[in-house]
Structure formats: C-alpha cells, structure tokens
C-alpha cells in the first residue's frame, strides 16, 4: 500500500518532468519490491526460485557460504545466523555508490555511501532476499577537499516520491535525490543478480511474489 501510494503521488508530476524516465524508474522500483518503512528507511525484496529442486538446508549452506565470502571483513559482517529457521542477516555498505557534482567551477560535489542490512530466508527450492537501507552517508567536497560528512535519507515527502516543490522546475536537491534513487536501483538489482548467481549459477528466476 505504501509503495502504491508513493507511485500515485509521484504521478502528479509525471507530465511535467521526464515522463518516460520517471515511469521507467518506478517500474523498476516496483519490480525490485521497493517500499518505504518506518522513519524513511527503504527496503527491497525479491524471491529467487531454483531451476532444480534444492532442500532448505542445502540453500542455507549456499547462503552461509555467500555470507562467509562477502560479509566476513571490514564493514561487511554477519549479524545473525539462525540454523533452526534457516535465515541469515548481515550488514554492509555500498561505498561511494553515487557521486554528484553540484558546481564544477567551485568544485562542489557529493559522494554517497549507503548502509544496508541484508536478510536471506531459505525454504525448499527458493530463497527470499530483503535489503534494507537505513541511511545514506554524504561526503561533501569543495575545491579544497572534504567539508563535511552527514547522514541523509530519501524522504517519502520529497520528490520523486511526491510532487516537486515548484510545478515548473526541479530544485538541485530534487534532481540529486532522483539521480541517487536511480543509481541505487541499479546497485540493488546487481546485488540481487549476484545472489541469484551464487544460489544457482544464473539458472534461477527472479520474481516478486508472496513468500
């Protein structure tokens, strides 16, 4: 319901600002199971079905190996591993996933990290993957170097999730939020595909459906 409401609100400005681009972005977001959660956290969900039957324990072992290889050092850590209910939760950072220049002459630019929490639940012949983004971290620069580091979010009350502040022009912040959301969708899609390959060597199907 929240996802549908976000899309409906966004359609208020679809005729004014890059209609095709906006529709494409929200279609992709819907495909990746995008929703807003509490306090402007966002999440993405997909279900991966294996082409050939695999038992719950076998898929859990594959998921465990994936986490061991990808979430075993630095900012990437396993937080919870439940061998009775067959799920694993890890935490990581999409480092410098998005860069945005606001003023070339002054050297003003921002580089963003995205914290993420990933949960993989295993059942016979399928897994569910949920990726939650609790916050973004903005590193701001000018021509002299780093000027500050700030927590930031994609707000449900701001464009592209609601109508822009002005009916005839997007602000710099609105353009930046939209560009960051588009880049995040590519990052999430690539992450889902990486897990799909780990689960079934590229032979499974990615679907959003009831778990």
């Amino acid at each position: 319901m929240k996802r549908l409401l976000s899309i409906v609100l966004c359609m208020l400005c679809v005729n004014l600002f890059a209609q095709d681009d906006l529709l494409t972005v929200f279609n992709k977001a819907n495909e990746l199971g995008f929703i807003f959660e509490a306090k402007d956290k966002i999440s993405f969900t997909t279900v991966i079905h294996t082409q050939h039957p695999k038992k719950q324990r076998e898929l859990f072992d594959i998921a465990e190996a994936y986490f061991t290889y990808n979430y075993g050092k630095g900012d990437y850590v396993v937080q919870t591993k439940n061998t009775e209910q067959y799920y694993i939760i890890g935490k990581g950072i999409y480092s410098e996933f998005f860069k945005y220049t606001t003023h070339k002459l002054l050297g003003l630019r921002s580089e963003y990290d995205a914290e993420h929490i990933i949960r993989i639940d295993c059942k016979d012949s399928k897994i569910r993957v949920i990726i939650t983004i609790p916050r973004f971290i903005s590193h701001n620069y000018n021509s002299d170097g780093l000027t500050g580091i700030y927590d930031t979010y994609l707000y449900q009350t701001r464009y592209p999730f609601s109508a822009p502040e002005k009916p005839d022009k997007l602000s710099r912040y609105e353009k930046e939020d939209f560009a960051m959301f588009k880049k995040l969708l590519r990052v999430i899609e690539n992450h889902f595909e990486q897990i799909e390959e780990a689960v079934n060597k590229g032979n499974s199907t990615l679907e959003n459906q009831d778990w």
Side-chain angles (χ1 to χ4, degrees):
M1 182 65 183
K2 290 182 178 179
R3 184 173 61 204
L4 177 61
L5 178 60
S6 297
I7 294 174
V8 170
L9 289 173
C10 191
M11 298 304 294
L12 294 173
C13 55
V14 70
N15 292 322
L16 298 177
F17 301 108
Q19 177 177 357
D20 292 339
D21 194 22
L22 195 64
L23 286 173
T24 298
V25 166
F26 273 95
N27 284 337
K28 175 59 66 176
N30 187 60
E31 177 185 325
L32 296 174
F34 164 72
I35 62 169
F36 269 102
E37 296 187 1
K39 297 182 180 179
D40 293 303
K41 291 194 302 184
I42 59 178
S43 69
F44 302 84
T45 303
T46 196
V47 175
I48 301 173
H49 293 256
T50 61
Q51 184 178 16
H52 304 291
K54 291 186 178 182
K55 293 296 184 181
Q56 186 178 36
R57 179 70 211 196
E58 182 182 0
L59 286 175
F60 181 81
D61 290 341
I62 293 172
E64 186 177 21
Y66 173 83
F67 274 99
T68 298
Y69 184 79
N70 293 282
Y71 286 79
K73 59 183 178 180
D75 294 317
Y76 291 79
V77 296
V78 173
Q79 294 182 308
T80 304
K81 182 165 57 176
N82 189 308
T83 57
E84 295 181 353
Q85 298 183 15
Y86 297 106
Y87 69 83
I88 304 176
I89 300 173
K91 181 179 180 181
I93 295 180
Y94 299 128
S95 181
E96 297 181 3
F97 83 98
F98 176 63
K99 300 179 180 181
Y100 193 82
T101 299
T102 55
H103 200 297
K104 290 184 179 180
L105 294 179
L106 297 178
L108 300 179
R109 71 185 194 280
S110 298
E111 296 180 358
Y112 289 88
D113 301 335
E115 287 187 350
H116 70 271
I117 298 169
I118 176 172
R119 173 172 174 149
I120 296 181
D121 292 89
C122 303
K123 290 187 178 181
D124 287 351
S125 298
K126 64 181 179 179
I127 68 170
R128 180 179 62 189
V129 185
I130 303 173
I131 298 176
T132 302
I133 310 294
R135 66 168 180 158
F136 300 89
I137 304 168
S138 174
H139 302 255
N140 297 339
Y141 297 85
N142 61 20
S143 57
D144 295 324
L146 182 67
T147 60
I149 301 175
Y150 308 94
D151 290 352
T152 187
Y153 306 86
L154 287 172
Y155 294 98
Q156 196 168 2
T157 56
R158 287 185 0 192
Y159 186 84
F161 310 107
S162 64
E165 293 180 1
K166 296 182 179 180
D168 58 343
K169 183 179 180 181
L170 292 179
S171 70
R172 176 178 70 82
Y173 301 105
E174 290 169 338
K175 291 178 182 178
E176 188 170 353
D177 283 351
F178 186 40
M180 184 169 70
F181 184 60
K182 288 200 302 182
K183 183 61 181 292
L184 179 65
L185 294 181
R186 291 196 293 270
V187 171
I188 296 297
E189 183 175 35
N190 289 339
H191 200 166
F192 282 160
E193 290 174 352
Q194 181 189 61
I195 296 170
E196 177 187 12
E197 182 177 2
V199 166
N200 212 18
K201 296 183 179 179
N203 293 322
S204 61
T205 58
L206 262 169
E207 299 178 6
N208 285 314
Q209 61 181 52
D210 290 339
W211 174 242

